Amino acid sequence: MDKLKGALVSVIIPVYKVEEYIYGCIESVSKQTYKNIEIILVDDGSSDKSGMICDQFAQKDKRIQVIHKTNGGVSEARNFGIEKAKGDYITFVDSDDQIHPEMINYLVTGLEKFNVDISICGYRKVSEPVKEFEKLKVSNDWKVETGKSVCERMYKEDSSLVVVYKKMYKKDLWEELRFPVGKIHEDEFITYRLFMNSKKISYAEDKLYYYLKREGSIMNRRYSAKRFDCLEAIDEQIKYFKKNKFEILEKEALKHKFYFCIKGLEEVQKNQKDLKRKLKGEYKRTLNQIKDSKLFSREELIWYDEPKNNKLLNILYWKFKK
């Protein structure tokens, strides 16, 4: 670490067919008030002008390096970036998103001030790229908890904690962890491990990451078999917590899986009969996992076994029965 310049931060951006958005993304990163950064753009086989735009930025800014590779998905692209990263800290930005000019400085402060392994800020959803960032009056209302406590909060209070962006990580957290190649819901496979491997985590609600909600993104597409990757990831969470005797977290992961099945049954369309049949099978298997875990009271088991008794799940229950 250069004491004069501060810690080097590696900003990893996987890029794939986002020529309409990549300029705003890279520009928001390059204009950070925290200057000691390296920007790693991983062009994942884009067939549009995304790769060319990345190269143009690299010619103007020596902090930017571009990796061109054949398409392998966002997980593989992020893994390439991690391998190339030279920073003391790592952060991720999606190529259609943007970050406030103060975000990296804010997250570095959150790491170093409290000597934690991960710092987290808030995010805001936008429907179109931001042209000019407002001057924010940040609260700097930092809270510090154990990694286990934040993991529990992810299940109980704030599901957005699962995403890998809007966070700053000490690089050594990634020594033995990589994203699962070929999967969607890739964050579900890895974030809980990052939390559990962290002694302390700091977080604040100031919204410095700008998430672009657009129709073409993976999670806004029609329900597909790939969505079952999330069930696989949650099963891994359940096994991990059970093996390490974290009963509260095992129970929360089981509940998480149950609701994912319910949500899937709501989203799957009538003509997707094979998917619906498979979801029903996972729903029943999850109920058996809940019963076999011995972590739920008799009253809870009745509720999960007969969700029609809960008004909020009544409509979904009868859809499932059909």
Side-chain angles (χ1 to χ4, degrees), residues 12-16 40-45 67 69-84 92 179 181:
I12 298 172
I13 307 176
V15 179
Y16 182 66
I40 304 172
L41 304 173
V42 186
D43 173 25
D44 193 34
I67 302 168
K69 58 181 288 297
T70 56
N71 181 252
V74 66
S75 289
E76 186 175 273
R78 284 175 177 165
N79 290 342
F80 263 72
I82 294 169
E83 295 295 332
K84 294 290 184 180
F92 299 93
F179 291 94
V181 176

Side-chain angles (χ1 to χ4, degrees), residues 294-307:
K294 311 296 184 186
L295 298 174
F296 293 77
S297 67
R298 184 176 179 181
E299 290 76 14
E300 287 175 317
L301 287 175
I302 292 172
W303 189 88
Y304 280 101
D305 202 28
E306 294 290 340

Side-chain angles (χ1 to χ4, degrees), residues 27-35 98-110 121 133-138 140 142 168 206-210:
E27 188 175 54
S28 75
V29 178
S30 64
K31 291 185 176 180
Q32 290 295 295
T33 58
Y34 189 95
K35 301 301 182 183
Q98 295 166 284
I99 60 177
H100 190 276
E102 293 290 342
M103 193 192 87
I104 290 179
N105 183 62
Y106 184 89
L107 290 176
V108 168
T109 300
C121 70
F133 294 94
E134 59 186 7
K135 187 175 181 179
L136 295 181
K137 294 182 179 179
V138 295
N140 280 306
W142 290 97
M168 189 74 68
D206 295 310
K207 298 176 180 179
L208 304 179
Y209 188 98
Y210 293 73

